[in-house]
Amino acid sequence: MAKRNGSSTLSENVTKKLQSDILSGQYEPGSPLTVSELAKGFDVSVAVVREALTRLASQGLVLQNPNHGFSVKTVSEEELNSIIEARSINESAALRLSIAHGDLTWESNVIAVHHKLSQTAEYKEVNQKLAVREEWSDIHRQFHYELIAACPNPVLLDICKRLWDLSEFYRHWSFQQQPTRDGRDEHKALADAVLSRDSDRAVELFRAHIQLTADNLFDNR
């Protein structure tokens, strides 16, 4: 990985790549993240990797143990239920505010990103197994962010984004348990409710949508 703007930029690049790899399932939950091996793979210093892992630890995606170094977070039914509860409370509030304050430009953005999501293939085959495509994951994130983008409370939006990263980790493993789930109808119904300015229906659909992650992951073990 080439240097561009010093160690800070390198650390940001490594952080983003590791975050993407963790969220896409490149690392198993609980697997060790050896600093020296990662430094060699990224062609950066140990200090850069350690800074990146520390950042991811602050986001909750990596565990830091003084005696055992770093590892990918583990899967916990209790934690997932807490994340879903927190998303249900915070993102539902942001969704209501977004619907109340959204203008025509916001509506157009919701329509555009939903169309893009519906036209993008969700899965790819890797080593004879289905995996979620990174392009689809990025658009999926954009879609959910756009639904709440008109919310005028930046603190609430920041909380929603943090919770998204934590739930995305679980969504990947939910897919591993039940890869046949097709969320297109769910996303269309949610977009339609939002564009119709039906806050109650939108919140109901959103809560059911995120609850399926836990249902798929822990009810199909």
Side-chain angles (χ1 to χ4, degrees):
M1 183 176 292
K3 275 192 177 181
R4 291 189 298 177
N5 296 310
S7 61
S8 178
T9 298
L10 282 174
S11 179
E12 290 174 4
N13 292 341
V14 172
T15 300
K16 290 178 181 178
K17 182 62 171 66
L18 282 173
Q19 181 185 51
S20 175
D21 288 346
I22 290 171
L23 293 179
S24 65
Q26 297 299 312
Y27 297 98
E28 293 280 334
S31 61
L33 296 168
T34 306
V35 175
S36 58
E37 292 180 1
L38 290 172
K40 183 178 180 180
F42 284 115
D43 190 24
V44 296
S45 70
V46 168
V48 167
V49 171
R50 191 174 297 279
E51 181 180 348
L53 291 172
T54 300
R55 289 182 180 182
L56 292 174
S58 70
Q59 295 174 20
L61 294 177
V62 167
L63 301 178
Q64 185 174 8
N65 187 304
N67 298 320
H68 298 93
F70 298 91
S71 62
V72 179
K73 73 185 285 25
T74 54
V75 172
S76 162
E77 183 172 6
E78 181 179 1
E79 182 188 50
L80 177 55
N81 287 333
S82 294
I83 292 169
I84 288 175
E85 181 180 25
R87 282 193 70 186
S88 180
I89 294 169
N90 291 280
E91 206 160 335
S92 293
L95 187 58
R96 288 185 184 278
L97 287 169
S98 189
I99 291 172
H101 291 271
D103 56 15
L104 289 178
T105 299
W106 168 73
E107 287 188 5
S108 298
N109 291 339
V110 170
I111 292 170
V113 72
H114 174 254
H115 177 71
K116 191 174 182 181
L117 180 65
S118 68
Q119 299 301 309
T120 303
E122 184 173 354
Y123 307 121
K124 63 181 178 181
E125 188 172 309
V126 179
N127 298 326
Q128 298 183 330
K129 292 183 179 180
L130 285 179
V132 178
R133 298 176 70 235
E134 187 171 348
E135 179 186 6
W136 184 90
S137 290
D138 289 342
I139 299 171
H140 182 232
R141 178 192 296 265
Q142 292 171 23
F143 171 71
H144 278 278
Y145 281 3
E146 196 58 55
L147 294 180
I148 61 174
C151 170
N153 187 323
V155 175
L156 184 56
L157 289 174
D158 186 63
I159 292 171
C160 290
K161 290 180 179 180
R162 175 177 169 80
L163 290 170
W164 170 272
D165 284 340
L166 293 174
S167 64
E168 186 72 350
F169 175 84
Y170 282 96
R171 188 187 66 79
H172 170 81
W173 292 104
S174 169
F175 162 76
Q176 295 296 323
Q177 294 293 327
Q178 190 177 13
T180 56
R181 176 184 176 184
D182 185 355
R184 290 193 178 189
D185 288 344
E186 296 172 42
H187 292 135
K188 184 179 186 307
L190 184 53
D192 288 346
V194 167
L195 293 169
S196 298
R197 307 285 178 153
D198 189 341
S199 297
D200 291 340
R201 177 64 174 160
V203 167
E204 177 186 6
L205 290 169
F206 164 71
R207 288 176 172 171
H209 181 62
I210 62 174
Q211 183 60 48
L212 275 176
T213 298
D215 294 343
N216 289 349
L217 182 57
F218 294 109
D219 291 350
N220 294 282
R221 288 174 296 184

